[in-house]
Amino acid sequence: MSALVDSEAVFTARCQQLSVPEAAVATMKAAGWTTMGLFAFSTSYVPGAADDKAFREDVLARVLSDANAVGAASLRRLFYEAFSLAGAEMKERANRSEDAS
């Protein structure tokens, strides 16, 4: 699981598969969001929260400069996947630690 969460190659490939605009990918990389794990914690927004203001301000406005721009849906999907993978990795680590004791 860690290979998916911490790999720059996986992040870049997923951006391409989801058709995230190249300029957006470059902006994310310049911000240091180069892996799924880093992108998952780029904002305080949690998928499923009633208000997505933090995501719109912290991610969409920063990366696309318009929350309705082309690529917004792709970024939302990428973020959801990144957040889900990071959570799954943490759960896996916690379960592995419990099994060891």
Side-chain angles (χ1 to χ4, degrees):
M1 183 71 64
S2 182
L4 295 174
V5 176
D6 296 325
S7 170
E8 290 185 24
V10 168
F11 182 76
T12 301
R14 197 64 188 131
C15 287
Q16 290 172 344
Q17 291 168 343
L18 293 175
S19 300
V20 175
E22 287 295 321
V25 175
T27 300
M28 288 190 291
K29 289 183 177 185
W33 306 338
T34 57
T35 67
M36 296 296 254
L38 293 171
F39 187 47
F41 296 99
S42 61
T43 178
S44 61
Y45 172 71
V46 175
D51 184 10
D52 71 345
K53 181 180 178 183
F55 182 77
R56 286 183 281 119
E57 290 177 353
D58 298 343
V59 178
L60 293 182
R62 185 173 181 181
V63 174
L64 298 173
S65 70
D66 177 9
N68 297 314
V70 172
S74 295
L75 271 178
R76 284 183 182 279
R77 182 172 174 187
L78 180 69
F79 181 79
Y80 186 85
E81 289 180 16
F83 194 86
S84 297
L85 282 172
E89 182 200 20
M90 285 184 219
K91 184 177 179 179
E92 181 182 291
R93 285 182 186 214
N95 288 339
R96 193 173 26 212
S97 296
E98 290 173 3
D99 292 342
S101 55

